[in-house]
Amino acid sequence: MVNSEAKTPRERYRAQVRTEIKERAWEQIATAGASALSLNAIAKQMGMSGPALYRYFGGRDELITELVRDAYRSLADTFHAAAQAGSGVTGLAQALRGWALQDPHRYFLIYGTPVPGYQAPDDTTAISSEIMATLLDACAALPSDGPSTPFDAHLEGHRDWAGGHPAPPAVLHRALTFWTRLHGVLSLELAGHFTGMGIDPAQLFAAELDDLAGPPRG
Amino acid sequence: MVNSEAKTPRERYRAQVRTEIKERAWEQIATAGASALSLNAIAKQMGMSGPALYRYFGGRDELITELVRDAYRSLADTFHAAAQAGSGVTGLAQALRGWALQDPHRYFLIYGTPVPGYQAPDDTTAISSEIMATLLDACAALPSDGPSTPFDAHLEGHRDWAGGHPAPPAVLHRALTFWTRLHGVLSLELAGHFTGMGIDPAQLFAAELDDLAGPPRG
DNA sequence: CACCATAGTTAGAGGTTATCACTGAAGTTA
DNA sequence: TAACTTCAGTGATAACCTCTAACTATGGTG
């Protein structure tokens, strides 16, 4: 018998209830944000009473941690798929934006305001570097490169985060700015800071992407 | 008698208590984040009992709104001071970073994950455009300019947010990217996404700033 | 001094997370 | 089949939270 999946019926049931709880949690997060996530409400919605959920999750924080993990996993999968589609960094960027717009609260759960005491568990940083790896691959495939900047020199000495990826500093730099710039536009868009301004976030995003994927800056 | 300030002793007292409440609220936000702000705790800390605070603020939301307003005001003042110091966009950028690092939660209160039901009152958007105006002034003083991009054309038709500032689209574009790019680096830094990576956020920020203030991109 | 607007109080409704002791049912073993 | 063990779900309870309502007491003002 295979150890990994579907062992005892009890475990099957347990896993099913766990995923249903998470589904309800996602619904709740999608409508009201992570701060409004209520174990009580989820329990009531599932027809059972409050403390029952503590059989499945140690508490609110543990549930949120699990959701963060799932969100990271989802983004990593999206990135992998986009990378395999082979449309380079622009494909990755569009995949990122699509993923973010599909559920803004999920994006904020990862990249938004950090919750007070919470800190990401180790495996999320593993998934995070997985994401970074596919981004680095895409950036390495771009035509390189402009003059070396002082920051490139700094990166030469601090490339641990790249997980041993054999890319020149300029590529690391590009991946980093890809991340920060697109996050800059995206997070402001999702937070609604452009709504009152009348400008089109998609075009601003595209402009940043053009500047990123196009010219090796000089 | 002057209408504007220090009228009756009661109003003086009232204003004093209001500011003390806000001070405590800021302390609380600085340590535990905005989501953990508790009127009850503030009241207890001030030696009075819960509901007393409702004489001074309509509720939690109204207090937070006030804090958001103050945060905007503080940032606008910081920007004005930096602009008057006359060190251009780099001065503005450094002022922004210093202001953000001085109290990260205050930054997130403005530019972080939007709180569920809350939406900014009108006057905060007024302050926001005040900030944008000084940024536009600084950007207009930069040497211009590269080739016109498609997004510049879009901005030509959507420049309402600039509040009638007489700047060419390229300058509007630059101000916008100044905002989004620096916010990208800054928000990720404040959220701690660089801590495990070993890179220096200050240098990444500086690199983005160089790219922004230096070459009219091509 | 008398009056009254208002600051602050307690009580309470309704919400939350979380722990505890208990019940009852399901699965396991003799 | 009968006995036993494990565990899901329960209600009660504690300790918080926001916010409303009614009441008291005090300070400023006619």
Side-chain angles (χ1 to χ4, degrees):
Chain A
M1 78 178 83
V2 182
N3 189 9
S4 60
E5 200 161 328
K7 241 161 79 172
T8 85
R10 267 209 171 135
E11 286 191 357
R12 287 175 53 85
Y13 177 75
R14 185 176 178 79
Q16 178 191 328
V17 173
R18 269 181 73 100
T19 64
E20 179 171 355
I21 292 174
K22 291 204 286 188
E23 279 170 15
R24 306 282 184 168
W26 276 120
E27 290 171 16
Q28 211 167 322
I29 280 184
T31 61
S35 59
L37 191 150
S38 158
L39 294 191
N40 237 325
I42 293 175
K44 208 159 296 178
Q45 208 173 358
M46 290 177 64
M48 51 192 189
S49 215
L53 294 202
Y54 287 79
R55 294 271 171 209
Y56 300 94
F57 293 96
R60 217 186 95 110
D61 280 15
E62 194 176 306
L63 174 56
I64 289 186
T65 297
E66 199 91 348
L67 297 177
V68 170
R69 199 193 319 272
D70 289 0
Y72 267 112
R73 183 72 268 149
S74 166
L75 178 56
D77 291 348
T78 303
F79 255 43
H80 281 149
Q84 217 149 22
S87 29
V89 289
T90 80
L92 247 49
Q94 297 299 349
L96 172 66
R97 183 154 189 271
W99 183 84
L101 288 176
Q102 181 184 327
D103 186 350
H105 289 292
R106 183 178 51 181
Y107 184 90
F108 282 125
L109 203 58
I110 296 182
Y111 293 117
T113 307
V115 301
Y118 171 85
Q119 63 179 1
D122 294 355
D123 59 345
T124 65
T125 73
I127 305 180
S128 179
S129 58
E130 195 178 307
I131 293 171
M132 194 55 86
T134 78
L135 175 56
L136 281 169
D137 285 342
C139 286
L142 282 173
S144 63
D145 206 8
S148 183
T149 68
F151 185 62
D152 288 2
H154 173 253
L155 281 180
E156 189 87 71
H158 300 80
R159 53 182 309 148
D160 350 303
W161 55 274
H165 194 286
V171 169
L172 302 183
H173 189 170
R174 208 181 209 132
L176 234 35
T177 60
F178 176 98
W179 183 26
T180 63
R181 289 185 187 179
L182 296 190
H183 165 72
V185 178
L186 213 37
S187 75
L188 289 175
E189 173 184 5
L190 297 179
H193 279 100
F194 297 139
T195 51
M197 299 175 61
I199 71 172
D200 181 11
Q203 293 198 40
L204 179 52
F205 186 86
E208 284 297 79
L209 179 54
D210 280 354
D211 193 63
L212 221 34
R217 78 232 157 12
Chain B
M1 83 177 80
V2 182
N3 190 6
S4 60
E5 199 161 328
K7 241 163 73 172
T8 86
R10 269 210 168 133
E11 285 190 357
R12 288 175 52 86
Y13 177 74
R14 185 176 178 78
Q16 178 192 329
V17 174
R18 270 180 72 100
T19 65
E20 179 171 354
I21 292 174
K22 292 204 284 187
E23 280 170 14
R24 306 280 183 169
W26 277 120
E27 290 171 15
Q28 212 167 321
I29 280 183
T31 62
S35 60
L37 190 150
S38 158
L39 293 190
N40 235 326
I42 292 175
K44 209 159 295 179
Q45 208 173 356
M46 289 177 64
M48 50 192 191
S49 216
L53 294 203
Y54 286 79
R55 296 272 171 210
Y56 300 94
F57 293 95
R60 217 186 94 111
D61 280 14
E62 194 177 307
L63 175 56
I64 288 186
T65 296
E66 199 91 347
L67 297 177
V68 169
R69 199 192 320 271
D70 288 0
Y72 267 112
R73 184 71 268 147
S74 167
L75 179 56
D77 292 348
T78 302
F79 255 43
H80 282 149
Q84 217 148 22
S87 28
V89 289
T90 81
L92 248 49
Q94 297 299 348
L96 172 65
R97 183 154 187 270
W99 183 85
L101 288 175
Q102 181 185 326
D103 186 350
H105 288 292
R106 184 178 50 182
Y107 184 89
F108 282 124
L109 203 58
I110 297 182
Y111 293 117
T113 307
V115 300
Y118 172 85
Q119 62 179 2
D122 294 354
D123 58 345
T124 64
T125 73
I127 306 180
S128 179
S129 59
E130 195 178 307
I131 293 172
M132 194 54 86
T134 80
L135 176 57
L136 280 170
D137 285 342
C139 286
L142 281 172
S144 62
D145 205 4
S148 182
T149 68
F151 184 63
D152 289 2
H154 174 252
L155 281 180
E156 189 87 71
H158 299 80
R159 52 183 310 150
D160 350 302
W161 56 274
H165 195 288
V171 170
L172 302 184
H173 189 172
R174 205 175 210 141
L176 234 35
T177 61
F178 176 98
W179 183 27
T180 62
R181 288 185 188 178
L182 296 190
H183 165 73
V185 178
L186 212 38
S187 76
L188 288 175
E189 173 185 5
L190 297 179
H193 278 100
F194 296 139
T195 51
M197 300 175 61
I199 70 173
D200 182 9
Q203 293 198 41
L204 179 51
F205 186 86
E208 283 297 78
L209 180 55
D210 281 353
D211 192 63
L212 222 34
R217 78 240 155 11

